[in-house]
Amino acid sequence: MLLHEAGESFFFAFIISILITPLTARLAGRLGAIDHPDGGRKLHSRSVPRLGGLGMACAFLVPPLVVMTLDRQLLSILGGAAIIILAGLLDDLLQLRAIIKLMAQILAASCVVVLGGISLTGFGNLFGLGSIDTGIW
């Protein structure tokens, strides 16, 4: 990615996030996707909209489509991200079971690996003790 592509992507992401996030908060209210405090695990003290991630997702997905040259690897990453975003949206609306969310994550990772041909071959010299290779992964 060229430096100007990165700058343009950041600018578009910033503007999209500012414009879309408040709209998704209003949409959450209309759809009843509001998270209420329960006095247990939840840390917030007032009700909050659950669709805020949708605005950030748009800010993540749209700039590469507009600014960058699309190739097989980028499209597979964006496709995997779209699967994760869809699973998050459905979870916000329907409270999905953990196994369904796990299946969506496996599908998204498989999309990146199989369609994009992307693999993790190592972590480099992460701890200063030499290269850490992942083997066949």
Side-chain angles (χ1 to χ4, degrees), residues 79-91:
I83 292 168
I84 294 295
I85 292 163
L86 179 61
L89 177 63
L90 291 174
D91 185 43

Side-chain angles (χ1 to χ4, degrees), residues 9 12-14 16-18 20 54-64:
S9 290
F12 282 131
F14 180 72
I16 290 169
S17 180
I18 286 174
I20 298 290
L54 189 58
M56 291 187 293
C58 290
F60 173 80
L61 286 177
V62 172

